[in-house]
Amino acid sequence: MTGPSPLEDTDVSQPWTESNQAWWDWYIGLAVNDEQQGAIQTANPLPSITVPSDEAVIAELREPYPLSLADIESFQANGYIKLKSVLSPGAVLKLRAVLVDLLEAAYKTKIDGGIQNRFLSLEMVWLDNPLLRAYVLSPRVAQICAKLLAVPAVRLYHDNVLSKEPGCGRTPWHFDDHHFPLDSHDVVTAWVPAQPTSLAMGPLAFAHPIDIWRLVDSVNFEKSTTGYDKGVAEAFAREQVCVDETPFEIGEVSFHHNLNFHTAAPNVTDRSRVVLANTYYADGARVIDAPTMVSGDWQKFMPGVGPGDVAKSKLNPICWPIATSETSDGAVC
Ligand SMILES: O=C(O)CCC(=O)C(=O)O
Ligand SMILES: [Fe+2]
């Protein structure tokens, strides 16, 4: 059987023309996985607590988070930080319930064991759901992002509901600079797990410090093989790069820079690993001149914005600082 030549396989210049879900199906398939994955384990029960009202959660999502100078310095050195208690346990369980309902409706399956081995996604969920809008446009989360990046204002790029179903394999090594067609390095993703996330569920794992991307800059991206994931893993092993692969306790959220390299292990539990991953960027950033297929369905997230334009559509509200009538540019926040 003959596949594409190695040279053709590195050509990603064409745009992505399918859905965001098709993008994830393709992308997850680029990860190396062990032939024999361990047996599916029973996940610990979700904590049994009273879930707060919508109003209480919305108020919580506006409260400033006590971020320290050491947190900011750590993010800037390592390209990521994991922060505890960004959300209360009740706000996490409420998020999970809403996301599970949406996923079950969209995929006509039961989450937690209905579909096996897949990585399901949804995006733009904040547009139709007032509660999710509060999570995605959260001033608490966006202020953390602005402070970590040391920029005065951040906009939303997009939200992404990511559900790694039981039995789904690894997320390939990558940095998001490949994915987001922005000309800026002031870009950060808040990865918000919607349950406590054990090692067996495949928590996001981060290589550090931030500049280790240079070690793998010459590894060619291959669009139909596991070559890139393998090449990055081998280079990191050779150079003994440190990887932070630790569980997320309930309410813990990670923030990763678009130069940070990250991966995630398979989910070998019987519970879906549901996450809300929201990306924010410094106000003023532009779209790059030549987005690629790795940028996925980016135009959906910025209608009317073309290559080279300032990245500012009505779907990219400024989330921090909170808009006042004087500062509002008409975008919804
Ligand atoms: O959830 C995952 O496994 C991958 C997520 C990711 O790469 C991201 O949010 O940047
Ligand atoms: Fe990523």
Side-chain angles (χ1 to χ4, degrees):
M1 209 172 83
T2 53
S5 75
L7 213 59
E8 282 167 30
D9 207 38
T10 57
D11 177 12
V12 289
S13 57
Q14 63 274 45
W16 185 259
T17 52
E18 295 173 62
S19 66
N20 205 36
Q21 179 57 46
W23 187 93
W24 276 106
D25 286 336
W26 163 68
Y27 199 67
I28 289 292
L30 303 181
V32 176
N33 279 290
D34 284 345
E35 291 287 300
Q36 281 138 336
Q37 196 168 275
I40 293 287
Q41 305 166 23
T42 307
N44 289 331
L46 290 172
S48 156
I49 46 170
T50 312
V51 172
S53 65
D54 287 9
E55 293 68 36
V57 169
I58 291 168
E60 168 184 332
L61 291 164
R62 295 179 74 86
E63 279 296 307
Y65 180 86
L67 195 71
S68 69
L69 187 58
D71 293 331
I72 297 171
E73 286 172 353
S74 171
F75 173 83
Q76 291 179 353
N78 291 318
Y80 81 99
I81 190 163
K82 292 175 72 167
L83 297 173
K84 295 186 195 296
S85 302
V86 175
L87 265 61
S88 67
V92 173
L93 293 187
K94 192 160 196 122
L95 176 64
R96 186 172 169 96
V98 184
L99 296 182
V100 164
D101 280 352
L102 284 184
L103 285 158
E104 290 189 337
Y107 289 95
K108 304 197 180 8
T109 182
K110 239 181 86 53
I111 289 302
D112 294 338
I115 292 185
Q116 304 283 314
N117 308 334
R118 269 196 74 198
F119 194 96
L120 302 180
S121 73
L122 292 173
E123 65 283 339
M124 324 273 275
V125 294
W126 65 278
L127 289 172
D128 303 323
N129 183 311
L131 184 60
L132 287 176
R133 182 186 191 89
Y135 283 93
V136 174
L137 307 186
S138 160
R140 179 177 179 85
V141 171
Q143 186 188 26
I144 295 174
C145 292
K147 284 186 172 177
L148 292 175
L149 295 174
V151 300
V154 291
R155 289 184 182 273
L156 176 70
Y157 175 54
H158 73 91
D159 59 357
N160 227 186
V161 181
L162 305 173
S163 187
K164 194 175 256 203
E165 300 308 317
C168 177
R170 289 184 50 250
T171 304
W173 275 113
H174 67 278
F175 67 173
D176 297 343
D177 200 37
H178 264 166
H179 298 171
F180 306 137
L182 296 166
D183 72 349
S184 171
H185 284 146
D186 288 327
V187 183
V188 60
T189 296
W191 196 82
V192 184
Q195 66 287 303
T197 304
S198 64
L199 288 179
M201 288 182 97
L204 209 57
F206 309 91
H208 58 97
I210 190 166
D211 57 1
I212 50 94
W213 65 269
R214 294 179 199 280
L215 293 176
V216 290
D217 212 31
S218 59
V219 179
N220 279 327
F221 183 79
E222 293 173 37
K223 64 188 178 200
S224 70
T225 76
T226 56
Y228 183 73
D229 182 41
K230 189 160 173 275
V232 172
E234 284 172 358
F236 284 174
R238 201 166 48 241
E239 303 289 337
Q240 298 184 317
V241 167
C242 302
V243 178
D244 178 354
E245 183 176 25
T246 43
F248 283 65
E249 67 180 46
I250 193 161
E252 188 168 3
V253 172
S254 63
F255 295 81
H256 62 267
H257 188 271
N258 65 346
L259 289 176
N260 172 268
F261 262 81
H262 47 280
T263 180
N267 180 3
V268 293
T269 75
D270 59 357
R271 173 162 303 122
S272 305
R273 190 217 65 182
V274 180
V275 170
L276 179 64
N278 303 318
T279 299
Y280 307 87
Y281 59 92
D283 182 30
R286 288 177 180 272
V287 174
I288 56 174
D289 290 336
T292 70
M293 65 187 286
V294 191
S295 310
D297 210 0
W298 68 274
Q299 267 160 322
K300 183 171 176 188
F301 310 130
M302 300 193 168
V305 177
D309 290 349
V310 175
K312 180 181 168 183
S313 80
K314 65 179 193 312
L315 299 187
N316 314 112
I318 290 183
C319 299
W320 183 263
I322 301 174
T324 62
S325 48
E326 286 98 75
T327 61
S328 171
D329 56 9
V332 257
C333 197

